[in-house]
Amino acid sequence: MVGIPIFLLFDRLHFYNKTINFIAKSAFAVYLISEYPPMRNLLWFTLFNLKDIYGKPFALLRIIVIMLGVYAACTLCDFARRGLFALTVDRHPGRWFEALWNTVARWSWVQSLPKLMTDSSTPEGATRAELE
């Protein structure tokens, strides 16, 4: 009963903020970085073992600061990734694909594919002259 009015409220509310949208683009990257199994073990079992913090004074405050710090570090990593892509891949759209395509097209087994495809479609024993 509460979910539908909240959905309707935010459905009609139009909000735009450049800073929030810029940071929100990295939210999925933060999830992927922090949930990658080796990174998860490093963060939550080696560096920030939350079991050691429980029962100490200001435990909740410490946990919140750690989580915000991890979020900020992962967001900075994604900003670096986005910057590198802007300088390399995004600067010349399609160039990486064309380079790969040209490299693969030079391979001998790829060049023989059209011949193999036309030969396999002819009946057994039939020559090309008979088919024409």
Side-chain angles (χ1 to χ4, degrees):
M1 292 175 65
V2 175
I4 293 174
I6 290 176
F7 177 77
L8 292 174
L9 172 70
F10 287 106
D11 185 46
R12 291 189 174 97
L13 179 70
H14 296 285
F15 177 76
Y16 181 79
N17 187 326
K18 274 186 166 183
T19 307
I20 291 174
N21 288 343
F22 186 75
I23 294 171
K25 289 179 185 177
S26 297
F28 187 60
V30 169
Y31 167 74
L32 291 177
I33 292 169
S34 63
E35 283 301 309
Y36 182 60
M39 186 61 74
R40 183 183 334 133
N41 290 337
L42 176 69
L43 286 173
W44 306 120
F45 296 114
T46 306
L47 295 177
F48 307 113
N49 193 348
L50 298 181
K51 290 180 184 177
D52 298 338
I53 298 174
Y54 294 145
K56 290 187 178 179
F58 303 108
L60 183 62
L61 182 62
R62 288 180 185 186
I63 291 171
I64 290 172
V65 168
I66 288 170
M67 288 184 178
L68 289 175
V70 168
Y71 190 87
C74 293
T75 302
L76 289 175
C77 289
D78 187 57
F79 287 167
R81 179 202 58 85
R82 286 171 34 193
L84 287 173
F85 265 73
L87 291 175
T88 57
V89 178
D90 294 343
R91 181 174 278 179
H92 306 287
R95 184 176 287 178
W96 290 98
F97 177 76
E98 289 173 7
L100 178 66
W101 183 265
N102 292 337
T103 302
V104 169
R106 289 190 199 115
W107 294 344
S108 60
W109 66 272
V110 174
Q111 292 175 351
S112 64
L113 282 177
K115 183 180 180 221
L116 291 174
M117 291 170 53
T118 57
D119 289 346
S120 65
S121 63
T122 60
E124 285 288 326
T127 64
R128 202 167 251 205
E130 293 172 351
L131 292 174
E132 293 175 357

